[in-house]
Amino acid sequence: MLKGLSENILLLLFVIILIGNYLGGIKWKGISLGPSAIFLTAVVFGHFGLQAPRIILELGLALFVYSIGIQVGANFFKDFRKEGLHMIGMAFVMTSSGLIATIAIAYFRNLPVGVSAGLFAGSLTNTPALAAAVELIEKYGFGDGGSVTAGYGITYPFAVVAAVIFVQILPKLLKRDVGQEEKNWAEEQKAMNPAPEFKQFRLENSKCFGKTVGYLDNSYMHKSDPLIMSRVLRKEKISGSRQHELTEYVATEDFILQKDDIVTVVGKTNNLELLGLVFGEEVPVQLLNKDIMTMDAEITAPFFGNRKISEIDMSKHKVIITRVIRGGTEFPPNNDTMVEFGDTLRFVGLYKDTARFAKIVSTKNKKLEETSLFTFVLGLVAGLLLGAVSIPIIGGSPLSLGPAGGSLIAGLFLSTRKSLFGKEIHIPIEALRIMQDLGLTLFMAGAGLIAGGRFMSIFHMYGFELLLEGAMITVITLISGAAYMYYLKAKTLAIMSAIAAGMTQPSALEVTKQEAKTELPLLVYASVYPFAMILKILLIQVLVVVVNTLSVL
């Protein structure tokens, strides 16, 4: 059986993934191993001599972080402007606390430089840092590169499991209602981006009489946050009678306004309140014409995707776009607003015009169901090339982001682009989730097989003390991260995902995602992860120099 698996790497990987997924789904008092069960399963198989190429691990990690970068990139840059320093602080607190603990243990235990570096990389679960340490130590003769792997192999398994269990028990330790916190967070996001409202004003300003809707739009309505006129009520004399009735019109650009017209305007509340100074008194809302209606339509037609409102001839369609709904957020557009595939447009017009416009906007587009494979792979290639770039630092030793760091940055960049070298970018969310799951399982299986092959020999060589010391470093790192985020009064899900990112541990993120209904964990993870990755690669090289210096004193 084992011989058959050793000769069939593909079968070996999927057997490990199958068993690990089953074991990871078993819960005890609400706690499960989750994806880390795949890692532990792989450790057992690795112990019996079964191995897989290292490229499996690197491919999985690159796919995982790259797809996360693409999914959350747009929100990452928006949130980073507000919380950037806090996210950098989180990465620094966790990484530096692990570094200080490792240096202290290495000094008092008189550990070799290589073992100390492996202890740090394993306890903080970072393979790129391990690779950086091995290269530095072997290149400059600070010790034996094999001893780095030794320290890493014995401490990494506990650190993975500890991170997964810690984020699961954290809500119980903090005695918080995660669901209610997440609901409050979602409401806070909505409050920061309030949905537009509409008000009606009687036209009393003589400077507005005889002017077209288009003229007033350009003069008053788009100075800051957009304000959009959608309907006009006008009192008109009934033919053959002295009586008058209100008639409702669609506020097209060429519609000429008159005294006492009642104008319906859509926009944010604080901006609407100022319009009384421009038009006249606010009047109670009254909508009369049943033939004028509001309709929503999702953009799928190729012509409408990734265009400015000004590039769409709205006078031809005879409707007024009053709102754009994107990712659950509503906002009134102006002429410079870029609408995207997947956006929902809310527009006003006569029934026949709105029905026709909705049909045009939502024309079936098979491209939206397909992944732009060329741009997806091109971005990944760029990320891998970026990760391979070496920057000389300490004594000329190289610092690089590695495949994971480079891929994450490439994913974040790609998420902000609509096209690349003339090629349209569209990657369905379902495709990204599959890539994340595939990447995570390949990473856990590959890392487990590598660690399992050395686990027992390393344990016999360095003893139970090294495992305890690694556990101590891991626990100190986890607690320091939790304390920092708690001090910042962060939501529990944010603390959990920030810890997962600080540990650069995908399996801990996966457990956190299972508790969430929003993108909060992914946003926080993507904000902290790149800084944690870079700091670990940098600080492990600092550790090598410091421990080597202390050993010769």
Side-chain angles (χ1 to χ4, degrees):
M1 176 65 178
L2 292 179
K3 182 179 180 182
L5 289 175
S6 66
E7 295 173 351
N8 191 331
I9 301 299
L10 194 60
L11 178 61
L12 171 63
L13 285 173
F14 281 101
V15 167
I16 290 172
I17 292 170
L18 180 66
I19 297 173
N21 266 300
Y22 175 77
L23 295 176
I26 298 174
K27 289 190 176 183
W28 180 74
K29 293 186 177 181
I31 298 174
S32 65
L33 291 174
S36 63
I38 298 174
F39 174 82
L40 294 175
T41 303
V43 168
V44 174
F45 278 81
H47 170 65
F48 289 103
L50 296 171
Q51 290 294 309
R54 185 179 183 80
I55 190 65
I56 299 294
L57 178 152
E58 294 180 351
L59 172 64
L61 187 57
L63 283 176
F64 178 76
V65 297
Y66 179 60
S67 55
I68 280 183
I70 295 173
Q71 182 176 344
V72 304
N75 286 327
F76 163 77
F77 289 110
K78 181 181 71 176
D79 288 354
F80 181 73
R81 285 192 289 269
K82 297 180 293 183
E83 301 289 344
L85 290 178
H86 290 162
M87 298 302 102
I88 295 173
M90 175 62 173
F92 179 78
V93 166
M94 291 188 69
T95 308
S96 60
S97 62
L99 174 72
I100 293 170
T102 306
I103 291 175
I105 290 171
Y107 177 74
F108 288 109
R109 275 262 285 155
N110 197 28
L111 293 177
V113 174
V115 174
S116 302
L119 188 64
F120 175 81
S123 300
L124 273 69
T125 70
N126 194 259
T127 305
L130 168 71
V134 170
E135 187 172 2
L136 177 65
I137 286 172
E138 292 183 344
K139 185 174 182 179
Y140 294 96
F142 290 137
D144 174 23
S147 62
V148 183
T149 307
Y152 176 86
I154 201 167
T155 55
Y156 185 89
F158 172 84
V160 171
V161 176
V164 171
I165 293 177
F166 186 77
V167 297
Q168 289 185 88
I169 65 173
L170 195 59
K172 296 180 177 64
L173 293 175
L174 297 178
K175 297 180 180 180
R176 291 181 176 181
D177 185 338
V178 175
Q180 185 59 47
E181 280 191 346
E182 187 176 24
K183 184 178 178 181
N184 293 342
W185 178 81
E187 291 174 353
E188 289 169 6
Q189 298 304 300
K190 287 184 178 180
M192 293 171 59
N193 300 282
E197 299 180 2
F198 68 91
K199 293 181 181 292
Q200 291 185 319
F201 300 89
R202 188 183 307 280
L203 204 62
E204 298 172 332
N205 184 350
S206 60
K207 293 183 179 180
C208 298
F209 301 162
K211 300 295 192 296
T212 64
V213 168
Y215 173 82
L216 293 182
D217 269 344
N218 293 328
S219 300
Y220 302 108
M221 312 299 273
H222 296 306
K223 294 299 183 183
S224 53
D225 289 327
L227 293 166
I228 299 165
M229 286 184 277
S230 61
R231 310 180 191 214
V232 178
L233 285 172
R234 176 171 293 169
K235 186 180 290 188
E236 294 184 330
K237 188 176 181 181
I238 300 174
S239 179
S241 171
R242 293 184 178 181
Q243 295 182 342
H244 292 75
E245 67 176 358
L246 285 174
T247 304
E248 190 170 32
Y249 297 93
V250 178
T252 55
E253 286 189 354
D254 57 355
F255 187 87
I256 299 174
L257 297 168
Q258 299 178 6
K259 181 181 179 181
D260 292 330
D261 282 347
I262 297 175
V263 183
T264 301
V265 186
V266 177
K268 293 184 179 179
T269 303
N270 57 336
N271 295 322
L272 287 172
E273 290 171 350
L274 298 175
L275 269 188
L277 301 175
V278 177
F279 290 160
E281 69 168 333
E282 182 182 347
V283 297
V285 172
Q286 42 187 328
L287 304 174
L288 301 176
N289 194 338
K290 294 181 179 178
D291 291 329
I292 295 178
M293 65 176 300
T294 301
M295 187 175 290
D296 291 353
E298 181 181 350
I299 296 178
T300 58
F303 174 78
F304 288 91
N306 302 327
R307 285 183 180 272
K308 291 182 178 180
I309 295 289
S310 59
E311 296 173 349
I312 303 172
D313 186 359
M314 298 310 300
S315 61
K316 170 185 173 183
H317 299 291
K318 299 180 181 179
V319 299
I320 309 296
I321 298 175
T322 60
R323 295 172 176 84
V324 175
I325 304 171
R326 179 180 299 160
T329 301
E330 296 183 18
F331 57 91
N334 60 26
N335 287 332
D336 292 327
T337 298
M338 182 79 75
V339 292
E340 305 172 0
F341 288 117
D343 285 351
T344 296
L345 301 182
R346 181 165 295 167
F347 44 90
V348 174
L350 294 172
Y351 175 77
K352 62 177 182 178
D353 296 325
T354 54
R356 182 176 64 249
F357 186 66
K359 187 175 181 181
I360 295 172
V361 168
S362 298
T363 300
K364 188 172 182 180
N365 185 0
K366 289 186 177 180
K367 286 187 177 180
L368 295 182
E369 301 173 1
E370 301 172 354
T371 298
S372 306
L373 192 58
F374 174 80
T375 47
F376 181 85
V377 175
L378 180 61
L380 186 56
V381 168
L384 294 174
L385 289 174
L386 177 63
V389 174
S390 295
I391 303 173
I393 49 165
I394 303 170
S397 61
L399 166 66
S400 66
L401 295 173
S407 298
L408 178 63
I409 292 174
L412 292 171
F413 170 77
L414 196 67
S415 70
T416 65
R417 309 287 298 180
K418 306 304 175 187
S419 62
L420 204 60
F421 300 113
K423 298 287 186 179
E424 185 179 285
I425 299 174
H426 183 74
I427 305 169
I429 186 65
E430 293 80 6
L432 290 175
R433 287 170 180 161
I434 290 173
M435 287 295 181
Q436 288 173 25
D437 290 342
L438 176 62
L440 178 62
T441 53
L442 289 177
F443 170 74
M444 300 307 289
L449 286 170
I450 291 173
R454 304 182 180 91
F455 187 82
M456 291 309 297
S457 61
I458 294 166
F459 186 78
H460 288 310
M461 186 181 302
Y462 292 98
F464 190 68
E465 291 85 355
L466 192 64
L467 176 61
L468 290 178
E469 288 156 357
M472 186 187 304
I473 295 169
T474 298
V475 171
I476 289 172
T477 304
L478 292 170
I479 292 175
S480 66
Y484 176 80
M485 293 297 286
Y486 184 81
Y487 172 76
L488 294 178
K489 299 179 180 179
K491 301 285 190 293
T492 305
L493 281 175
I495 300 176
M496 294 164 68
S497 48
I499 288 171
M503 292 294 289
T504 53
Q505 188 44 246
S507 58
L509 171 65
E510 193 64 24
V511 169
T512 306
K513 283 167 56 182
Q514 293 172 7
E515 298 287 333
K517 295 180 181 179
T518 65
E519 287 191 343
L520 173 59
L522 285 177
L523 289 173
V524 175
Y525 187 86
S527 299
V528 176
Y529 185 95
F531 302 110
M533 176 71 72
I534 293 169
L535 280 171
K536 288 179 185 181
I537 294 171
L538 175 63
L539 292 184
I540 198 170
Q541 298 178 68
V542 173
L543 181 145
V544 168
V545 173
V546 170
V547 173
N548 183 68
T549 302
L550 291 174
S551 66
V552 297
L553 291 179

